[in-house]
Amino acid sequence: MMLFSVSRSLLRGAQRLDIHRNRDVHRWVAPTLRELRRRREKMGPEAALPRSSHSDWNYSAEIFAFGKRLHESFDPTVLQQAFTHQSFIEQETRKQVAVGIEQPVLGVNDNRELIAQGDRLIGDFVEAFLLTALPRLPRQFIASVRVALTSEAQLAHVSSYLGTKDIIMAAEFPIGDALLASTLKAIVAALQRSSGDDRCFLFVRDFLCGQLNQRDVFEYLEIADPLGTLKEYCKERGLADPEPRLIGNVGRNTLLAAYQVGIYSDRKLLGTGYGENQMVAVEEASRDCLRQLFGTELHMKPVDFTLTLSDCARHLTQRASGKVETRQ
């Protein structure tokens, strides 16, 4: 009898513990959550909304915070113009005309002029930096690297990580790569107008030229015929014609054949390469020669990202004078 009473007391304690543990979760909670989930799946994903549609949106604070994040001093009026695209101006004008305003006044200009100016600044600064940091690389390949660093996809990538997507004022949403890239160009022009050429150059150097960090520069060069390019380079520099020579081979007439080819100019070894046949080995050897002649070896000295505008001023002057001669 005593054992039976002890068991009943233990069972009551367990029931009280279970009730205390689950007393805050009602029976209707789980069915309600399942029904809400079913309705949400039936309606599909929610439409993406711009950040400006939120109740806590403060555009002036966003403009101020953007400059502080980059540690740059922008003129707020010019920076706001850099983020305002023509499509937004046209959209707001149509809205005001629709409500009866005959001559709408928005108080802000679009960024077309800033985009054109920023495009020129980015091209000039990037090319001057590359000519200074890679002095042995021919100009035609400097142009290839510059095009890769200033492509629309690359500019849009940098612009999105700077946090411009939520601040751009445009009729289009979601924001595409074209708008992101053009906004970055306008920001560069706005910085030049606000803080001068020195700060603008450092901005372009850090965010655009900095994409070369820990990258193989030779990957940016589009060389379809390495041996032909090597012959042209040697001819322009007054060097003897390059001559490919077989240095060694193993496993001939087998599936694991390997050939080593060296390229000589005036009996001096310029580079070597390996391949499964002699044609591939000659091509790899030509690429190795170009790497060494261009100063883009795998063990090359890292690109100097401490260059300033004064270090690159000579190439900027040459580029400006070349444009003047072309116009004349």
Side-chain angles (χ1 to χ4, degrees), residues 130-196:
L130 294 175
L131 288 171
T132 306
L134 304 171
R136 293 162 56 186
L137 192 63
R139 278 187 174 270
Q140 57 178 341
F141 298 116
I142 289 287
S144 299
V145 181
R146 177 179 58 81
V147 168
L149 292 178
T150 59
S151 64
E152 181 179 290
Q154 189 67 38
L155 294 178
H157 172 76
V158 174
S159 179
S160 63
Y161 278 95
L162 291 180
T164 61
K165 184 177 297 184
D166 294 330
I167 318 177
I168 293 175
M169 305 297 287
E172 175 187 342
F173 188 83
I175 305 299
D177 286 352
L179 278 177
L180 289 171
S182 60
T183 301
L184 182 62
K185 295 176 183 178
I187 291 172
V188 170
L191 180 60
Q192 191 273 338
R193 295 186 181 186
S194 302
S195 302

Side-chain angles (χ1 to χ4, degrees), residues 319-328:
R319 182 177 174 87
S321 61
K323 288 183 178 180
V324 172
E325 292 175 0
T326 303
R327 291 174 183 174
Q328 293 176 352

Side-chain angles (χ1 to χ4, degrees), residues 95-323:
K95 288 181 179 180
Q96 294 192 17
V97 171
V99 298
I101 301 177
E102 297 181 356
Q103 297 180 350
V105 178
L106 300 179
V108 64
N109 299 322
D110 62 74
N111 59 2
R112 285 178 295 177
E113 181 182 353
L114 291 175
I115 291 174
Q117 181 185 357
D119 186 43
R120 292 192 299 269
L121 289 171
I122 289 175
D124 293 345
F125 288 158
V126 170
E127 183 167 340
F129 175 85
L130 294 175
L131 288 171
T132 306
L134 304 171
R136 293 162 56 186
L137 192 63
R139 278 187 174 270
Q140 57 178 341
F141 298 116
I142 289 287
S144 299
V145 181
R146 177 179 58 81
V147 168
L149 292 178
T150 59
S151 64
E152 181 179 290
Q154 189 67 38
L155 294 178
H157 172 76
V158 174
S159 179
S160 63
Y161 278 95
L162 291 180
T164 61
K165 184 177 297 184
D166 294 330
I167 318 177
I168 293 175
M169 305 297 287
E172 175 187 342
F173 188 83
I175 305 299
D177 286 352
L179 278 177
L180 289 171
S182 60
T183 301
L184 182 62
K185 295 176 183 178
I187 291 172
V188 170
L191 180 60
Q192 191 273 338
R193 295 186 181 186
S194 302
S195 302
D197 291 334
D198 290 332
R199 296 299 304 177
C200 184
F201 176 83
L202 296 179
F203 181 90
V204 173
R205 181 200 68 184
D206 293 341
F207 290 108
L208 295 182
C209 300
Q211 302 298 315
L212 290 174
N213 186 33
Q214 297 185 356
R215 294 291 302 273
D216 185 5
V217 179
F218 202 78
E219 294 178 357
Y220 293 99
L221 311 184
E222 299 177 358
I223 302 177
D225 182 14
L227 184 59
T229 304
L230 179 61
K231 290 181 179 179
E232 293 179 2
Y233 182 86
C234 292
K235 184 178 180 180
E236 292 175 357
R237 297 300 188 278
L239 303 175
D241 290 339
E243 301 177 4
R245 297 180 184 178
L246 182 65
I247 296 178
N249 64 88
V250 294
R252 180 181 294 182
N253 300 326
T254 67
L255 294 176
L256 300 178
Y259 296 84
Q260 182 184 16
V261 171
I263 295 184
Y264 292 82
S265 176
D266 195 16
R267 293 184 295 182
K268 294 182 180 180
L269 181 64
L270 298 181
T272 60
Y274 295 86
E276 61 270 18
N277 54 56
Q278 295 187 25
M279 293 182 60
V280 175
V282 169
E283 182 177 343
E284 293 301 319
S286 302
R287 293 183 183 276
D288 182 59
C289 294
L290 292 175
R291 281 181 176 275
Q292 298 192 42
L293 293 173
F294 295 167
T296 58
E297 306 94 333
L298 292 176
H299 57 277
M300 64 175 287
K301 183 180 178 181
V303 178
D304 186 7
F305 292 108
T306 63
L307 296 175
T308 60
L309 182 61
S310 59
D311 299 326
C312 308
R314 177 171 60 90
H315 297 293
L316 283 172
T317 305
Q318 292 176 356
R319 182 177 174 87
S321 61
K323 288 183 178 180

